[in-house]
Amino acid sequence: MPFYNTDKIDVLFDEETLSQRIRQLGEQITADYSADEPLVMVGVLKGSFLFLADLCRAVDLPVEIDFLGLSSYGDSEQSSGVVRVTQDLSRSIEGKHVIVVEDIVDTGLTMAYLLENLATRNPASVKIASLLHKPARTKVDIPIDYLGFEIPDRFVIGYGLDSQNKLRNLPFIGVNVGDGLPI
Ligand code: IMP
Ligand code: MG
């Protein structure tokens, strides 16, 4: 028996669906960049950690991996619009091609803040890879260069995405259809 209640979670994207789509995104990235120019994939913590782990292994190029800690939510399911940097990049991105790797673009507020912040550091270019996008909730239009899936306006969990800091370790993406955490 898994630790979560399978009756309380609707699976949106199972492991096989995720891995197939991520392999395609990896092929696109491989085709779009050159092995001769510096490329760094920047995972936005914490939600992107599994997506980044799978995506970077689907990219057949020498890439640098770095992380940025951002927090916009607290424990609530509503974006506060206030973004806090909780951990900065470990190395300079000046002159490097950057792919920001996000779990989900929801209102777009977090990514808008991040793009502005990264632009001040003089990267060669900045593109965005996001596993999910909720177009119904857009407040700021964000161009997503590598998108996994568009989803309806539902709060999703699993494969890096949390509810109250739990359920990130579900191997699939699902919707909580119960009251409270489905644990
Ligand atoms: P935004 O600033 O509204 O675009 O929110 C971006 C961040 O909110 C994402 O990186 C997630 O960490 C979090 N978030 C937004 N929607 C969901 C969801 O459905 N499940 C879990 N986290 C979410
Ligand atoms: Mg996030």
Side-chain angles (χ1 to χ4, degrees):
M1 283 288 282
F3 75 90
Y4 51 89
N5 187 337
T6 51
D7 297 337
K8 299 273 171 67
I9 301 176
D10 277 354
V11 176
L12 280 188
F13 306 110
D14 64 14
E15 286 185 74
E16 183 53 33
T17 307
L18 289 172
S19 93
Q20 273 181 20
R21 184 71 188 120
I22 292 167
R23 227 165 320 165
Q24 291 172 343
L25 295 178
E27 283 169 14
Q28 280 183 38
I29 291 171
T30 304
D32 288 352
Y33 291 87
S34 152
D36 301 329
E37 294 179 27
L39 174 62
V40 48
M41 295 174 74
V42 173
V44 183
L45 294 171
K46 304 175 211 164
S48 73
F49 78 112
L50 290 177
F51 178 41
L52 175 65
D54 287 338
L55 184 62
C56 75
R57 283 180 291 180
V59 172
D60 188 19
L61 291 169
V63 292
E64 212 182 304
I65 305 293
D66 210 340
F67 295 96
L68 239 169
L70 286 186
S71 180
S72 64
Y73 261 51
D75 275 349
S76 142
E77 293 188 358
Q78 291 302 307
S79 185
S80 60
V82 179
V83 181
R84 205 159 48 92
V85 176
T86 56
Q87 187 186 308
D88 203 358
L89 295 171
S90 66
R91 292 173 34 104
S92 165
I93 55 168
E94 187 165 350
K96 298 175 185 171
H97 295 286
V98 174
I99 301 176
V100 179
V101 180
E102 253 289 28
D103 50 359
I104 184 167
V105 174
D106 185 23
T107 62
L109 291 168
T110 304
M111 195 52 88
Y113 168 87
L114 189 51
L115 289 177
E116 234 174 77
N117 181 300
L118 293 178
T120 65
R121 309 180 193 209
N122 300 319
S125 69
V126 179
K127 284 194 188 181
I128 296 171
S130 182
L131 183 61
L132 305 174
H133 181 218
K134 272 188 215 172
R137 299 202 3 116
T138 301
K139 286 188 182 158
V140 189
D141 256 314
I142 300 292
I144 303 173
D145 303 281
Y146 306 102
L147 173 64
F149 306 95
E150 279 195 356
I151 60 167
D153 186 9
R154 305 290 301 277
F155 192 80
V156 292
I157 49 175
Y159 195 71
L161 293 128
D162 71 303
S163 182
Q164 296 170 40
N165 259 303
K166 296 205 175 67
L167 299 162
R168 293 190 197 274
N169 59 326
L170 298 181
F172 55 83
I173 288 181
V175 174
N176 176 6
V177 291
D179 300 325
L181 286 179
I183 294 174

